[in-house]
Amino acid sequence: MDMILDGLSWFFVLLGSAFVLIGAIGVIRLPEVFTRSHAAGMVDTFGTGMIILGLCFQTSPFESIASALVLVKLVMIGFFLFFTSPVSSHALVRAAMADGAKPLLKEGVELEGALKDEGDKPS
């Protein structure tokens, strides 16, 4: 049974590490703040979730109180990251749009509900 849990743990830790690495490459390679924020937010949330899930398989919550406490802490960290990472990405994108950054769009595509000019800003 321990060998199966170790295998699952390694699988999820390596999968999460691969997603975090892909997200880091995306942050470096993508052309603008919006796509970079998407890469960082989505992949970071999923990658860290997989790493935390893999670490949860390493704990033995029924052996001691300390191991159960470690599992509770990992779940709380995962819960916190699940909500804060997308919110921080959204806040960064809103700040970029307020600063005047515009997304790269195909020819003829317009953002629905977007402010077109500085004069269109609500007072």
Side-chain angles (χ1 to χ4, degrees):
M1 187 67 177
D2 285 342
M3 192 167 177
I4 293 172
L5 288 177
D6 282 344
L8 280 173
S9 175
W10 274 106
F11 173 75
F12 283 113
V13 167
L14 290 176
L15 181 68
S17 299
F19 271 99
V20 169
L21 181 65
I22 290 169
I25 292 171
V27 168
I28 294 170
R29 298 281 314 230
L30 290 174
E32 63 175 354
V33 67
F34 302 105
T35 53
R36 288 179 181 168
S37 175
H38 178 74
M42 298 298 287
V43 175
D44 182 43
T45 302
F46 188 70
T48 54
M50 291 294 110
I51 290 172
I52 288 174
L53 182 63
L55 292 176
C56 286
F57 283 121
Q58 285 293 316
T59 62
S60 303
F62 301 113
E63 289 182 5
S64 68
I65 291 292
S67 293
L69 189 59
V70 168
L71 181 63
V72 169
K73 288 178 183 178
L74 285 171
V75 169
M76 289 175 64
I77 290 169
F79 189 74
F80 178 75
L81 287 175
F82 183 76
F83 286 106
T84 57
S85 182
V87 170
S88 64
S89 295
H90 181 76
L92 285 173
V93 167
R94 294 279 299 185
M97 288 190 78
D99 196 37
K102 296 185 181 191
L104 296 174
L105 298 174
K106 289 181 182 176
E107 198 76 27
V109 176
E110 291 186 22
L111 287 178
E112 199 170 299
L115 302 175
K116 294 182 180 173
D117 293 327
E118 292 292 320
D120 292 343
K121 284 187 176 179
S123 55

mmCIF file of all heavy atoms in Angstrom, residues 70-108:
data_model
loop_
_atom_site.group_PDB
_atom_site.id
_atom_site.type_symbol
_atom_site.label_atom_id
_atom_site.label_comp_id
_atom_site.label_asym_id
_atom_site.label_seq_id
_atom_site.Cartn_x
_atom_site.Cartn_y
_atom_site.Cartn_z
ATOM 1 N N VAL A 70 -0.187 17.990 9.628
ATOM 2 C CA VAL A 70 0.459 18.346 8.355
ATOM 3 C C VAL A 70 -0.548 18.262 7.213
ATOM 4 O O VAL A 70 -0.595 19.133 6.336
ATOM 5 C CB VAL A 70 1.677 17.422 8.095
ATOM 6 C CG1 VAL A 70 2.176 17.569 6.667
ATOM 7 C CG2 VAL A 70 2.787 17.732 9.080
ATOM 8 N N LEU A 71 -1.379 17.227 7.218
ATOM 9 C CA LEU A 71 -2.392 17.088 6.171
ATOM 10 C C LEU A 71 -3.386 18.246 6.207
ATOM 11 O O LEU A 71 -3.745 18.803 5.156
ATOM 12 C CB LEU A 71 -3.119 15.750 6.319
ATOM 13 C CG LEU A 71 -4.195 15.470 5.273
ATOM 14 C CD1 LEU A 71 -3.579 15.381 3.890
ATOM 15 C CD2 LEU A 71 -4.938 14.195 5.613
ATOM 16 N N VAL A 72 -3.798 18.633 7.401
ATOM 17 C CA VAL A 72 -4.729 19.763 7.527
ATOM 18 C C VAL A 72 -4.083 21.046 7.007
ATOM 19 O O VAL A 72 -4.717 21.835 6.293
ATOM 20 C CB VAL A 72 -5.175 19.930 8.998
ATOM 21 C CG1 VAL A 72 -5.910 21.238 9.203
ATOM 22 C CG2 VAL A 72 -6.052 18.763 9.411
ATOM 23 N N LYS A 73 -2.828 21.247 7.324
ATOM 24 C CA LYS A 73 -2.127 22.441 6.842
ATOM 25 C C LYS A 73 -2.004 22.439 5.324
ATOM 26 O O LYS A 73 -2.185 23.471 4.672
ATOM 27 C CB LYS A 73 -0.730 22.530 7.471
ATOM 28 C CG LYS A 73 -0.746 22.904 8.921
ATOM 29 C CD LYS A 73 0.662 22.920 9.492
ATOM 30 C CE LYS A 73 0.659 23.224 10.966
ATOM 31 N NZ LYS A 73 2.012 23.186 11.535
ATOM 32 N N LEU A 74 -1.713 21.286 4.730
ATOM 33 C CA LEU A 74 -1.611 21.207 3.272
ATOM 34 C C LEU A 74 -2.949 21.503 2.614
ATOM 35 O O LEU A 74 -3.009 22.211 1.597
ATOM 36 C CB LEU A 74 -1.101 19.829 2.843
ATOM 37 C CG LEU A 74 0.377 19.567 3.062
ATOM 38 C CD1 LEU A 74 0.698 18.099 2.799
ATOM 39 C CD2 LEU A 74 1.212 20.450 2.161
ATOM 40 N N VAL A 75 -4.019 20.988 3.176
ATOM 41 C CA VAL A 75 -5.352 21.258 2.623
ATOM 42 C C VAL A 75 -5.683 22.740 2.736
ATOM 43 O O VAL A 75 -6.220 23.347 1.795
ATOM 44 C CB VAL A 75 -6.412 20.380 3.325
ATOM 45 C CG1 VAL A 75 -7.816 20.825 2.956
ATOM 46 C CG2 VAL A 75 -6.215 18.917 2.964
ATOM 47 N N MET A 76 -5.339 23.344 3.857
ATOM 48 C CA MET A 76 -5.609 24.777 4.035
ATOM 49 C C MET A 76 -4.779 25.615 3.057
ATOM 50 O O MET A 76 -5.281 26.597 2.496
ATOM 51 C CB MET A 76 -5.330 25.192 5.477
ATOM 52 C CG MET A 76 -6.357 24.642 6.447
ATOM 53 S SD MET A 76 -5.999 24.996 8.163
ATOM 54 C CE MET A 76 -6.120 26.751 8.194
ATOM 55 N N ILE A 77 -3.532 25.244 2.834
ATOM 56 C CA ILE A 77 -2.699 25.966 1.868
ATOM 57 C C ILE A 77 -3.279 25.820 0.468
ATOM 58 O O ILE A 77 -3.364 26.793 -0.294
ATOM 59 C CB ILE A 77 -1.242 25.451 1.919
ATOM 60 C CG1 ILE A 77 -0.584 25.879 3.216
ATOM 61 C CG2 ILE A 77 -0.444 25.944 0.727
ATOM 62 C CD1 ILE A 77 0.758 25.215 3.480
ATOM 63 N N GLY A 78 -3.693 24.615 0.114
ATOM 64 C CA GLY A 78 -4.295 24.402 -1.194
ATOM 65 C C GLY A 78 -5.577 25.189 -1.368
ATOM 66 O O GLY A 78 -5.811 25.785 -2.426
ATOM 67 N N PHE A 79 -6.405 25.211 -0.344
ATOM 68 C CA PHE A 79 -7.645 25.983 -0.389
ATOM 69 C C PHE A 79 -7.344 27.474 -0.563
ATOM 70 O O PHE A 79 -7.974 28.162 -1.373
ATOM 71 C CB PHE A 79 -8.440 25.727 0.890
ATOM 72 C CG PHE A 79 -9.816 26.285 0.882
ATOM 73 C CD1 PHE A 79 -10.820 25.688 0.137
ATOM 74 C CD2 PHE A 79 -10.125 27.400 1.630
ATOM 75 C CE1 PHE A 79 -12.102 26.196 0.134
ATOM 76 C CE2 PHE A 79 -11.398 27.919 1.633
ATOM 77 C CZ PHE A 79 -12.389 27.326 0.888
ATOM 78 N N PHE A 80 -6.356 27.968 0.173
ATOM 79 C CA PHE A 80 -5.978 29.389 0.079
ATOM 80 C C PHE A 80 -5.461 29.724 -1.322
ATOM 81 O O PHE A 80 -5.866 30.723 -1.925
ATOM 82 C CB PHE A 80 -4.910 29.695 1.131
ATOM 83 C CG PHE A 80 -4.404 31.096 1.094
ATOM 84 C CD1 PHE A 80 -5.171 32.141 1.580
ATOM 85 C CD2 PHE A 80 -3.144 31.372 0.583
ATOM 86 C CE1 PHE A 80 -4.708 33.432 1.544
ATOM 87 C CE2 PHE A 80 -2.667 32.667 0.543
ATOM 88 C CZ PHE A 80 -3.456 33.702 1.030
ATOM 89 N N LEU A 81 -4.593 28.882 -1.869
ATOM 90 C CA LEU A 81 -4.037 29.146 -3.205
ATOM 91 C C LEU A 81 -5.100 29.027 -4.292
ATOM 92 O O LEU A 81 -5.041 29.733 -5.302
ATOM 93 C CB LEU A 81 -2.892 28.191 -3.504
ATOM 94 C CG LEU A 81 -1.599 28.459 -2.765
ATOM 95 C CD1 LEU A 81 -0.591 27.366 -3.056
ATOM 96 C CD2 LEU A 81 -1.044 29.811 -3.149
ATOM 97 N N PHE A 82 -6.068 28.117 -4.099
ATOM 98 C CA PHE A 82 -7.116 27.932 -5.089
ATOM 99 C C PHE A 82 -7.917 29.216 -5.297
ATOM 100 O O PHE A 82 -8.361 29.506 -6.400
ATOM 101 C CB PHE A 82 -8.038 26.787 -4.663
ATOM 102 C CG PHE A 82 -9.116 26.480 -5.650
ATOM 103 C CD1 PHE A 82 -8.830 25.787 -6.815
ATOM 104 C CD2 PHE A 82 -10.415 26.884 -5.421
ATOM 105 C CE1 PHE A 82 -9.814 25.509 -7.733
ATOM 106 C CE2 PHE A 82 -11.413 26.603 -6.328
ATOM 107 C CZ PHE A 82 -11.118 25.910 -7.493
ATOM 108 N N PHE A 83 -8.097 29.987 -4.234
ATOM 109 C CA PHE A 83 -8.871 31.216 -4.362
ATOM 110 C C PHE A 83 -8.009 32.458 -4.602
ATOM 111 O O PHE A 83 -8.448 33.384 -5.275
ATOM 112 C CB PHE A 83 -9.735 31.432 -3.111
ATOM 113 C CG PHE A 83 -10.896 30.500 -3.068
ATOM 114 C CD1 PHE A 83 -10.909 29.433 -2.210
ATOM 115 C CD2 PHE A 83 -11.972 30.676 -3.918
ATOM 116 C CE1 PHE A 83 -11.979 28.561 -2.179
ATOM 117 C CE2 PHE A 83 -13.040 29.805 -3.912
ATOM 118 C CZ PHE A 83 -13.049 28.743 -3.035
ATOM 119 N N THR A 84 -6.816 32.517 -4.064
ATOM 120 C CA THR A 84 -6.040 33.753 -4.170
ATOM 121 C C THR A 84 -5.312 33.902 -5.505
ATOM 122 O O THR A 84 -5.137 35.026 -5.969
ATOM 123 C CB THR A 84 -5.009 33.854 -3.044
ATOM 124 O OG1 THR A 84 -4.162 32.710 -3.079
ATOM 125 C CG2 THR A 84 -5.690 33.985 -1.707
ATOM 126 N N SER A 85 -4.903 32.817 -6.126
ATOM 127 C CA SER A 85 -4.159 32.943 -7.376
ATOM 128 C C SER A 85 -5.008 33.529 -8.501
ATOM 129 O O SER A 85 -4.562 34.479 -9.167
ATOM 130 C CB SER A 85 -3.579 31.581 -7.775
ATOM 131 O OG SER A 85 -2.821 31.694 -8.934
ATOM 132 N N PRO A 86 -6.237 33.044 -8.752
ATOM 133 C CA PRO A 86 -7.042 33.680 -9.794
ATOM 134 C C PRO A 86 -7.432 35.115 -9.453
ATOM 135 O O PRO A 86 -7.491 35.975 -10.339
ATOM 136 C CB PRO A 86 -8.285 32.785 -9.898
ATOM 137 C CG PRO A 86 -7.898 31.502 -9.304
ATOM 138 C CD PRO A 86 -6.869 31.810 -8.273
ATOM 139 N N VAL A 87 -7.674 35.392 -8.190
ATOM 140 C CA VAL A 87 -8.053 36.747 -7.797
ATOM 141 C C VAL A 87 -6.889 37.710 -8.023
ATOM 142 O O VAL A 87 -7.073 38.826 -8.519
ATOM 143 C CB VAL A 87 -8.522 36.766 -6.324
ATOM 144 C CG1 VAL A 87 -8.678 38.184 -5.821
ATOM 145 C CG2 VAL A 87 -9.828 36.007 -6.179
ATOM 146 N N SER A 88 -5.672 37.280 -7.694
ATOM 147 C CA SER A 88 -4.522 38.159 -7.915
ATOM 148 C C SER A 88 -4.269 38.365 -9.404
ATOM 149 O O SER A 88 -3.916 39.473 -9.828
ATOM 150 C CB SER A 88 -3.279 37.600 -7.226
ATOM 151 O OG SER A 88 -2.915 36.369 -7.802
ATOM 152 N N SER A 89 -4.474 37.340 -10.224
ATOM 153 C CA SER A 89 -4.326 37.509 -11.669
ATOM 154 C C SER A 89 -5.361 38.495 -12.198
ATOM 155 O O SER A 89 -5.057 39.347 -13.036
ATOM 156 C CB SER A 89 -4.485 36.176 -12.393
ATOM 157 O OG SER A 89 -3.459 35.311 -12.053
ATOM 158 N N HIS A 90 -6.586 38.366 -11.714
ATOM 159 C CA HIS A 90 -7.637 39.283 -12.138
ATOM 160 C C HIS A 90 -7.304 40.718 -11.725
ATOM 161 O O HIS A 90 -7.488 41.654 -12.512
ATOM 162 C CB HIS A 90 -8.969 38.847 -11.536
ATOM 163 C CG HIS A 90 -10.115 39.709 -11.930
ATOM 164 N ND1 HIS A 90 -10.696 39.636 -13.169
ATOM 165 C CD2 HIS A 90 -10.767 40.679 -11.254
ATOM 166 C CE1 HIS A 90 -11.678 40.521 -13.234
ATOM 167 N NE2 HIS A 90 -11.733 41.164 -12.083
ATOM 168 N N ALA A 91 -6.794 40.902 -10.525
ATOM 169 C CA ALA A 91 -6.439 42.241 -10.060
ATOM 170 C C ALA A 91 -5.303 42.835 -10.899
ATOM 171 O O ALA A 91 -5.318 44.027 -11.216
ATOM 172 C CB ALA A 91 -6.044 42.190 -8.583
ATOM 173 N N LEU A 92 -4.330 41.992 -11.270
ATOM 174 C CA LEU A 92 -3.232 42.481 -12.114
ATOM 175 C C LEU A 92 -3.738 42.914 -13.483
ATOM 176 O O LEU A 92 -3.311 43.942 -14.026
ATOM 177 C CB LEU A 92 -2.165 41.400 -12.266
ATOM 178 C CG LEU A 92 -1.271 41.174 -11.060
ATOM 179 C CD1 LEU A 92 -0.384 39.965 -11.288
ATOM 180 C CD2 LEU A 92 -0.429 42.409 -10.805
ATOM 181 N N VAL A 93 -4.652 42.149 -14.061
ATOM 182 C CA VAL A 93 -5.191 42.498 -15.375
ATOM 183 C C VAL A 93 -6.019 43.779 -15.286
ATOM 184 O O VAL A 93 -5.937 44.645 -16.159
ATOM 185 C CB VAL A 93 -6.017 41.320 -15.941
ATOM 186 C CG1 VAL A 93 -6.828 41.746 -17.132
ATOM 187 C CG2 VAL A 93 -5.096 40.177 -16.310
ATOM 188 N N ARG A 94 -6.799 43.915 -14.240
ATOM 189 C CA ARG A 94 -7.590 45.144 -14.070
ATOM 190 C C ARG A 94 -6.675 46.353 -13.915
ATOM 191 O O ARG A 94 -6.943 47.420 -14.470
ATOM 192 C CB ARG A 94 -8.505 45.033 -12.851
ATOM 193 C CG ARG A 94 -9.583 44.011 -12.963
ATOM 194 C CD ARG A 94 -10.752 44.486 -13.719
ATOM 195 N NE ARG A 94 -11.334 45.648 -13.054
ATOM 196 C CZ ARG A 94 -12.438 46.231 -13.449
ATOM 197 N NH1 ARG A 94 -13.082 45.757 -14.487
ATOM 198 N NH2 ARG A 94 -12.904 47.282 -12.831
ATOM 199 N N ALA A 95 -5.585 46.192 -13.184
ATOM 200 C CA ALA A 95 -4.638 47.295 -13.017
ATOM 201 C C ALA A 95 -3.969 47.636 -14.342
ATOM 202 O O ALA A 95 -3.747 48.811 -14.656
ATOM 203 C CB ALA A 95 -3.591 46.933 -11.971
ATOM 204 N N ALA A 96 -3.655 46.603 -15.132
ATOM 205 C CA ALA A 96 -3.041 46.851 -16.440
ATOM 206 C C ALA A 96 -4.004 47.583 -17.361
ATOM 207 O O ALA A 96 -3.611 48.502 -18.084
ATOM 208 C CB ALA A 96 -2.595 45.532 -17.071
ATOM 209 N N MET A 97 -5.285 47.185 -17.344
ATOM 210 C CA MET A 97 -6.268 47.874 -18.187
ATOM 211 C C MET A 97 -6.489 49.305 -17.719
ATOM 212 O O MET A 97 -6.657 50.216 -18.523
ATOM 213 C CB MET A 97 -7.584 47.099 -18.207
ATOM 214 C CG MET A 97 -7.480 45.822 -19.013
ATOM 215 S SD MET A 97 -9.052 45.052 -19.300
ATOM 216 C CE MET A 97 -9.681 46.070 -20.614
ATOM 217 N N ALA A 98 -6.485 49.526 -16.419
ATOM 218 C CA ALA A 98 -6.631 50.885 -15.896
ATOM 219 C C ALA A 98 -5.438 51.748 -16.259
ATOM 220 O O ALA A 98 -5.560 52.964 -16.417
ATOM 221 C CB ALA A 98 -6.804 50.844 -14.382
ATOM 222 N N ASP A 99 -4.272 51.101 -16.426
ATOM 223 C CA ASP A 99 -3.060 51.827 -16.806
ATOM 224 C C ASP A 99 -2.988 52.055 -18.317
ATOM 225 O O ASP A 99 -2.093 52.739 -18.790
ATOM 226 C CB ASP A 99 -1.838 51.045 -16.339
ATOM 227 C CG ASP A 99 -0.588 51.881 -16.344
ATOM 228 O OD1 ASP A 99 -0.684 53.088 -16.013
ATOM 229 O OD2 ASP A 99 0.481 51.342 -16.698
ATOM 230 N N GLY A 100 -3.909 51.485 -19.075
ATOM 231 C CA GLY A 100 -3.938 51.731 -20.518
ATOM 232 C C GLY A 100 -3.433 50.592 -21.380
ATOM 233 O O GLY A 100 -3.340 50.747 -22.590
ATOM 234 N N ALA A 101 -3.117 49.468 -20.801
ATOM 235 C CA ALA A 101 -2.673 48.331 -21.616
ATOM 236 C C ALA A 101 -3.849 47.792 -22.405
ATOM 237 O O ALA A 101 -4.971 47.720 -21.912
ATOM 238 C CB ALA A 101 -2.098 47.242 -20.715
ATOM 239 N N LYS A 102 -3.586 47.437 -23.653
ATOM 240 C CA LYS A 102 -4.633 46.905 -24.513
ATOM 241 C C LYS A 102 -4.212 45.532 -25.003
ATOM 242 O O LYS A 102 -3.063 45.317 -25.365
ATOM 243 C CB LYS A 102 -4.877 47.835 -25.693
ATOM 244 C CG LYS A 102 -5.403 49.162 -25.253
ATOM 245 C CD LYS A 102 -5.764 50.029 -26.401
ATOM 246 C CE LYS A 102 -6.261 51.335 -25.779
ATOM 247 N NZ LYS A 102 -6.880 52.212 -26.636
ATOM 248 N N PRO A 103 -5.164 44.613 -25.044
ATOM 249 C CA PRO A 103 -4.816 43.261 -25.510
ATOM 250 C C PRO A 103 -4.596 43.219 -27.016
ATOM 251 O O PRO A 103 -5.161 44.018 -27.762
ATOM 252 C CB PRO A 103 -6.036 42.428 -25.106
ATOM 253 C CG PRO A 103 -7.143 43.399 -24.978
ATOM 254 C CD PRO A 103 -6.533 44.703 -24.585
ATOM 255 N N LEU A 104 -3.772 42.292 -27.438
ATOM 256 C CA LEU A 104 -3.561 42.074 -28.860
ATOM 257 C C LEU A 104 -4.752 41.283 -29.393
ATOM 258 O O LEU A 104 -5.038 40.190 -28.931
ATOM 259 C CB LEU A 104 -2.280 41.271 -29.104
ATOM 260 C CG LEU A 104 -0.981 41.936 -28.696
ATOM 261 C CD1 LEU A 104 0.173 40.961 -28.875
ATOM 262 C CD2 LEU A 104 -0.746 43.182 -29.517
ATOM 263 N N LEU A 105 -5.463 41.889 -30.335
ATOM 264 C CA LEU A 105 -6.646 41.236 -30.901
ATOM 265 C C LEU A 105 -6.469 41.083 -32.401
ATOM 266 O O LEU A 105 -5.695 41.803 -33.035
ATOM 267 C CB LEU A 105 -7.892 42.066 -30.618
ATOM 268 C CG LEU A 105 -8.234 42.267 -29.144
ATOM 269 C CD1 LEU A 105 -9.403 43.225 -29.009
ATOM 270 C CD2 LEU A 105 -8.571 40.940 -28.505
ATOM 271 N N LYS A 106 -7.211 40.151 -32.956
ATOM 272 C CA LYS A 106 -7.190 39.983 -34.407
ATOM 273 C C LYS A 106 -7.853 41.189 -35.049
ATOM 274 O O LYS A 106 -8.610 41.923 -34.415
ATOM 275 C CB LYS A 106 -7.962 38.725 -34.801
ATOM 276 C CG LYS A 106 -7.276 37.450 -34.427
ATOM 277 C CD LYS A 106 -8.112 36.279 -34.882
ATOM 278 C CE LYS A 106 -7.463 34.985 -34.468
ATOM 279 N NZ LYS A 106 -8.297 33.832 -34.816
ATOM 280 N N GLU A 107 -7.584 41.349 -36.306
ATOM 281 C CA GLU A 107 -8.158 42.448 -37.069
ATOM 282 C C GLU A 107 -9.687 42.356 -37.049
ATOM 283 O O GLU A 107 -10.258 41.313 -37.334
ATOM 284 C CB GLU A 107 -7.637 42.324 -38.500
ATOM 285 C CG GLU A 107 -7.722 43.511 -39.355
ATOM 286 C CD GLU A 107 -6.724 44.612 -39.125
ATOM 287 O OE1 GLU A 107 -5.594 44.403 -38.650
ATOM 288 O OE2 GLU A 107 -7.117 45.704 -39.474
ATOM 289 N N GLY A 108 -10.356 43.441 -36.675
ATOM 290 C CA GLY A 108 -11.815 43.487 -36.686
ATOM 291 C C GLY A 108 -12.472 42.979 -35.412
ATOM 292 O O GLY A 108 -13.684 43.047 -35.288
#
